[in-house]
Amino acid sequence: MSNVNNRFKKDLDKFITEFDDDLIICRCEEVTKGEIRRAVHDGMYTLTEIRRYLRSGMGLCQGQTCQILVKGIVAKELGISPMDLEPVISRSPTRPIEMKVLGNEGKEAL
Amino acid sequence: MRISNHPILGKPEEKREVEFTYDGQIMKGLEGEPIAVALKVAGVKIHRYTKKYHKARGIFCAIGRCTDCVMVVDGKPNVRTCITPLKEGMKIQTQYGVAAKES
Amino acid sequence: MTRYDLIIVGAGPAGLSAAIEAAKQGLKVIVFDENAKPGGQLFKQIHKFFGSKEHKAKIRGFKIGEELLKEANDFGVEVVLNAIVIGLYLDKEVTVNINDEIRHYKGDAVIVATGASENMVTFDGWTLPGVIGAGAAQTMMNLHSVRPGNKVLMLGSGNVGLVVSFQLLQAGCEVVALVDAAPKVGGYGVHAAKVARCGVSFYLSHTIIKAEGEECVKGVTIGEVDSRWRLVPGTEKHFEVDTICLAVGLSPMSQLLKMAGCEMKNTPAGYVPKCDETGETNIPGLFAAGDVSGIEEASSAMIEGRIAGLAAAENLGFLDKEELSEKIYELKKALLSLREGMFAPGNRGKAIEKTEEGIDLSINLLKKGYVGETEIERFPGVTRKKGVHPVIECTQNIPCNPCQDVCPKKCIKIGDKITSLPTLDETKECSGCGMCVAACSGQAIFLMNEEFEPGFAAITLPYEFLPLPSKGDKGMALDRSGKEICEAEIIDVKTKQVFDHTHLLTMKVPVNMAGKSRFFVVRRQENE
């Protein structure tokens, strides 16, 4: 698991706004760079925490586009390499699916 | 916008022309091509407006991954138009947030 | 629950190749793919592939796709399309959404060949309609016969950015600029050179500052960055465009493997499963093949697929260990040869200054996309002699050797090491057949005859655009940077089945321009 959890807390600099904080990162849930940076300062050091906290990567596309971007922002904020951050947990369904389909077991053989 | 003859691929496969509506407007496209392609040829670039900030979005990945091109198709929202084949008589509407605009 | 010997996720180059090899060994194989058409990204690849004969070199990607499909069909592989795998579990159970029903399958072996997804970059306005991925551009123009835009700016000088830029030109779009934040062109120099000679300007060490427009892209501003990626004030440049195309790399789509519980590793090239040399993960009978286990070319993905298919057969007892190692021996060798040269996975991020032969690389090629006039002379494929002869502007060590194979006169030598730069055998006489010009996947070979007529030279070049000029057409010769340099007349146009849509144009230019003239445009109307 991630080795990030508490190691960096004391080293984090004070949150300072940046010129591009209003840049949309998660296109589906419209989460901005500033919100993600702020979340790190609020104590969210793992991608899974960020995801639960802000819903980035929880929209229709399930983080297809933003996951790597979020990873980069969080890593930079923590002052570590993106490679030291665990990716988020992978779960089924990996593609958008309607609830009624998810519950619709195919009975007849194809 | 359509490529009538390509130096490597030659002439595109012939497809039947069908009518559909886009926000009530009658338009034509080729049967079976992605809805997004028919709209692109018709000059439509905006597929939806986002929920929070009401920003315009259109085709981004064109292979069904990014879900930015979703629209309301035959009353059903969140349909990925870049991978949904066009059919005769389809009713396609701009998506505002998660629904079509109330008329 | 339906059982199969082998379930493969993804019908791209790796998945299909795996299916074919496993089916050949008698396995009952099923392949699921979420798309409406099989072949993965192969059907969007309209350029000729690099490599050697065994890598299907000089065949265009979509043709390779057709061949793979036919082979899969011949061996009774079942390919289910519009079949979206939504889950993969430890015990090799696969859940698939087919026609809005969830179906459960169990494989004694499973090969995950889900490929990669595109990386993106952010900048002001990046969510505007008109900002698209390079894959989207390829999909629109090469699958659906629609131009993605009229005026396009490309971000990314890796092979995808370069190849897609060329495809945009072929589709009739204008590419206003090719931009990359890196200080050097990332992809093959030959891909860059064929884009540059069409007049596309390269902006290295530049980044997009802003995509302009209220509701869709109307323009773009780029600016120079310094060595620490900071914008240099006052370097802004503006272009009117309707499309901005992003080609900034790919990442393995490895979620299913992680979900299944495979041991994974974080690498600079993405999050990938730990695999042995056959692609088997730490879960016995669960394999990964192709881009999902690390981004490479489709040629490598096909070989990895074949190896994984055979290894799955061995895993289930259809082959014994000895038969397996015998069968994959040649495949492994072919894979290794693709992983050699300057662009080898092991060389990523390294600053290479000389070729394997010890020749200084062209700086201009890396900075501007084309080899400078004085630089080109130092490469072994560029020689001067009487009569017609090839000029091979191949300046980087890339695993590729069709030019050597096709020359009926054996003028061109690469040798056994397929990354070596081609050299010319001075003792052999070139017949001017042009096979090498058409076969070169990088379009880097020209024929030159400096004694065509007194004062005039004949230059033969590869041409893949429409409309095709005809004999007698007058126009301008362009140099390697795409600048018009002199008048030129088309004196021959060769079109042959064996050239596979690469036409050979021969133009007459003043003899002092022979060393520079590398492209042709029909004369523009004076009053235009």
Side-chain angles (χ1 to χ4, degrees), chain A residues 23-25 27 65 68-69 71 83 85 87-88 90-95 101-102 104-106 108 110, chain C residues 34 84-86 89 100-105 119-120 122-123 126-127 251 255 258-259 266-268 271:
Chain A
L23 208 55
I24 294 285
I25 302 299
R27 296 167 70 101
T65 307
I68 295 172
L69 300 171
K71 196 173 177 177
M83 287 206 288
L85 280 177
V88 293
S90 299
R91 278 192 203 91
S92 177
T94 49
R95 288 284 184 271
V101 174
L102 194 57
N104 185 23
E105 290 283 318
E108 310 278 311
L110 275 180
Chain C
E34 62 178 329
I84 308 156
V85 171
I86 57 165
Y89 302 93
D100 285 349
E101 286 182 335
I102 302 300
R103 298 193 170 265
H104 299 254
Y105 293 86
N119 297 341
M120 294 298 172
T122 55
F123 45 84
W126 79 293
T127 59
S251 288
Q255 291 95 331
K258 183 172 162 65
M259 187 188 305
N266 248 326
T267 70
Y271 194 59

Side-chain angles (χ1 to χ4, degrees), chain A residues 1-53:
Chain A
M1 241 339 256
S2 174
N3 56 4
V4 174
N5 266 324
N6 291 309
R7 236 171 80 198
F8 297 88
K9 190 160 188 167
K10 59 179 187 300
D11 299 336
L12 273 192
D13 293 333
K14 198 166 150 275
F15 179 81
I16 301 164
T17 52
E18 283 177 11
F19 74 98
D20 57 353
D21 272 346
D22 56 355
L23 208 55
I24 294 285
I25 302 299
C26 169
R27 296 167 70 101
C28 300
E29 293 291 315
E30 298 178 87
V31 180
T32 64
K33 185 180 172 189
E35 288 169 317
I36 296 165
R37 292 181 53 242
R38 171 77 74 180
V40 176
H41 287 265
D42 286 349
M44 310 297 144
Y45 296 166
T46 68
L47 296 179
T48 304
E49 283 170 327
I50 298 270
R51 186 161 141 153
R52 280 201 209 100
Y53 193 61

Side-chain angles (χ1 to χ4, degrees), chain C residues 186-499:
Chain C
Y188 291 175
V190 285
H191 279 319
K194 67 186 194 189
V195 173
R197 78 173 79 107
C198 293
V200 176
S201 300
F202 284 55
Y203 294 88
L204 278 299
S205 296
H206 275 71
T207 191
I208 297 179
I209 298 171
K210 184 179 169 61
E212 289 138 16
E214 275 304 309
E215 298 216 307
C216 59
V217 173
K218 303 263 190 234
V220 58
T221 300
I222 64 169
E224 206 174 323
V225 290
D226 64 17
S227 58
R228 294 180 58 197
W229 315 105
R230 288 171 311 199
L231 208 62
V232 181
T235 58
E236 294 84 359
K237 295 162 191 80
H238 179 265
F239 299 93
E240 264 179 40
V241 296
D242 54 27
T243 304
I244 298 169
C245 206
L246 309 179
V248 292
L250 300 166
S251 288
M253 220 157 44
S254 55
Q255 291 95 331
L256 285 175
L257 290 158
K258 183 172 162 65
M259 187 188 305
C262 292
E263 226 179 287
M264 308 287 289
K265 59 180 176 188
N266 248 326
T267 70
Y271 194 59
V272 294
K274 284 186 185 167
C275 293
D276 71 8
E277 57 167 14
T278 66
E280 192 167 17
T281 65
N282 65 311
I283 300 174
L286 179 55
F287 296 81
D291 275 356
V292 71
S293 57
I295 307 295
E296 283 181 79
E297 300 290 326
S299 328
S300 318
M302 288 187 278
I303 302 176
E304 283 181 18
R306 287 188 190 269
I307 293 174
L310 288 164
E314 188 271 335
N315 184 280
L316 303 184
F318 287 76
L319 279 175
D320 64 37
K321 274 240 171 330
E322 225 160 83
E323 286 172 309
L324 174 69
S325 57
E326 202 176 292
K327 280 188 190 300
I328 64 175
Y329 176 76
E330 288 296 323
L331 290 169
K332 271 165 45 190
K333 221 169 83 182
L335 191 55
L336 281 177
S337 73
L338 280 180
R339 289 176 178 162
E340 281 170 5
M342 295 181 174
F343 295 87
N347 279 337
R348 272 179 199 147
K350 282 189 198 158
I352 295 174
E353 281 164 3
K354 286 182 190 296
T355 70
E356 287 164 8
E357 294 81 0
I359 304 165
D360 287 338
L361 288 178
S362 159
I363 301 298
N364 214 63
L365 181 64
L366 297 172
K367 300 269 178 206
K368 293 182 176 158
Y370 57 93
V371 183
E373 218 183 307
T374 49
E375 294 173 319
I376 196 72
E377 305 287 339
R378 61 179 182 248
F379 294 96
V382 181
T383 56
R384 295 216 147 161
K385 65 187 257 188
K386 290 190 168 190
V388 64
H389 63 95
V391 173
I392 309 178
E393 303 197 346
C394 184
T395 67
Q396 294 173 327
N397 301 110
I398 292 170
C400 189
N401 68 0
C403 54
Q404 168 180 264
D405 285 351
V406 296
C407 179
K409 300 286 181 185
K410 306 283 169 225
C411 299
I412 303 173
K413 277 193 310 192
I414 286 179
D416 292 334
K417 195 169 189 323
I418 66 166
T419 54
S420 303
L421 297 182
T423 57
L424 292 165
D425 185 340
E426 301 290 335
T427 64
K428 306 277 166 54
E429 211 52 49
C430 169
S431 66
C433 70
M435 285 298 284
C436 55
V437 179
C440 176
S441 309
Q443 300 191 11
I445 306 184
F446 306 84
L447 296 181
M448 193 193 286
N449 181 358
E450 288 178 271
E451 298 164 321
F452 174 69
E453 266 177 19
F456 288 95
I459 307 289
T460 301
L461 55 100
Y463 196 83
E464 293 188 348
F465 295 94
L466 286 176
L468 183 65
S470 352
K471 192 173 169 178
D473 277 356
K474 295 202 166 89
M476 302 299 287
L478 310 188
D479 68 5
R480 295 181 185 88
S481 74
K483 200 174 85 196
E484 294 185 7
I485 49 167
C486 61
E487 292 190 353
E489 181 185 338
I490 297 298
I491 50 174
D492 191 23
V493 180
K494 265 194 200 142
T495 300
K496 282 186 185 173
Q497 188 117 33
V498 58
F499 294 164

